[in-house]
């Protein structure tokens, strides 16, 4: 089995022994992305902005692996702020609406703690309809 490691210079570096993403055949699996704005080296306090940055970081990994946002088929969200699901949903919806696509399948899980004490972490699976 051959797979390809994906490393995007635009997304935050892995903070542990894992890949930002892995491509196997025509499927991309991203690791969970936390809301670090790599350019500014900040983590916003607001969960709406944190959600947006997580999704942007996923976008950077997709871009590096020649996948598109509209090829995402599954998202998993981990959050320590499940009571703020409305803000998470609003940010999530706004992000995907800009791509005029069918929304991916999604799971949202409440957790007690995340790396770097962030409030949200998001991972994705994307599928290319044709191999390149």
């Amino acid at each position: 089995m051959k797979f390809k490691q994906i490393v995007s210079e635009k997304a935050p570096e892995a903070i542990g022994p894992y890949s930002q993403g892995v491509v196997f055949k025509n499927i991309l699996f991203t690791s969970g992305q936390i809301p670090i704005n790599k350019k500014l080296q900040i983590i916003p306090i607001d969960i709406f902005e944190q959600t947006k940055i997580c999704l942007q970081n996923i976008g950077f990994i997709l871009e590096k692996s020649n996948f598109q946002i509209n090829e995402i088929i599954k998202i998993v969200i981990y959050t320590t702020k499940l009571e703020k699901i409305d803000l998470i949903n609003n940010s999530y919806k706004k992000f995907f609406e800009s791509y005029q696509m069918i929304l991916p399948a999604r799971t949202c899980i409440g957790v007690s703690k995340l790396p770097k004490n962030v409030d949200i972490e998001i991972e994705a699976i994307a599928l290319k309809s044709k191999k390149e």
Side-chain angles (χ1 to χ4, degrees):
M1 288 188 190
K2 281 186 143 183
F3 61 91
K4 179 181 175 186
Q5 178 184 25
I6 304 301
V7 179
S8 169
E9 300 77 31
K10 293 181 182 178
E13 292 85 14
I15 57 174
Y18 59 87
S19 300
Q20 289 175 332
V22 173
V23 174
F24 176 71
K25 296 186 179 183
N26 60 337
I27 304 171
L28 169 67
F29 300 88
T30 74
S31 291
Q33 295 300 300
I34 60 175
I36 297 173
N37 180 320
K38 185 174 179 183
K39 194 179 223 181
L40 302 175
Q41 290 298 309
I42 61 168
I43 299 171
I45 295 170
D46 178 74
I47 193 74
F48 184 93
E49 285 300 310
Q50 285 192 24
T51 303
K52 179 176 132 184
I53 291 172
C54 289
L55 293 168
Q56 288 172 341
N57 289 338
I58 287 170
F60 295 142
I61 296 167
L62 269 76
E63 177 185 294
K64 181 69 177 189
S65 56
N66 295 315
F67 279 74
Q68 304 294 316
I69 295 289
N70 64 4
E71 293 174 313
I72 296 174
I73 59 171
K74 173 71 175 175
I75 292 277
V76 179
I77 298 174
Y78 305 91
T79 182
T80 60
K81 302 287 184 191
L82 203 51
E83 71 278 5
K84 296 192 176 189
I85 191 67
D86 289 343
L87 290 171
I88 294 168
N89 281 338
N90 288 340
S91 182
Y92 181 91
K93 183 179 177 186
K94 184 176 181 180
F95 179 85
F96 283 107
E97 277 181 346
S98 66
Y99 292 93
Q100 300 177 347
M101 60 181 279
I102 295 172
L103 292 172
R106 188 184 93 179
T107 301
C108 187
I109 303 165
V111 296
S112 63
K113 192 167 174 131
L114 289 165
K116 302 234 180 230
N117 293 316
V118 298
D119 296 327
I120 193 164
E121 180 173 348
I122 303 176
E123 64 182 59
I125 299 172
L127 176 68
K128 275 207 173 300
S129 56
K130 298 178 191 175
K131 286 192 211 179
E132 292 187 355

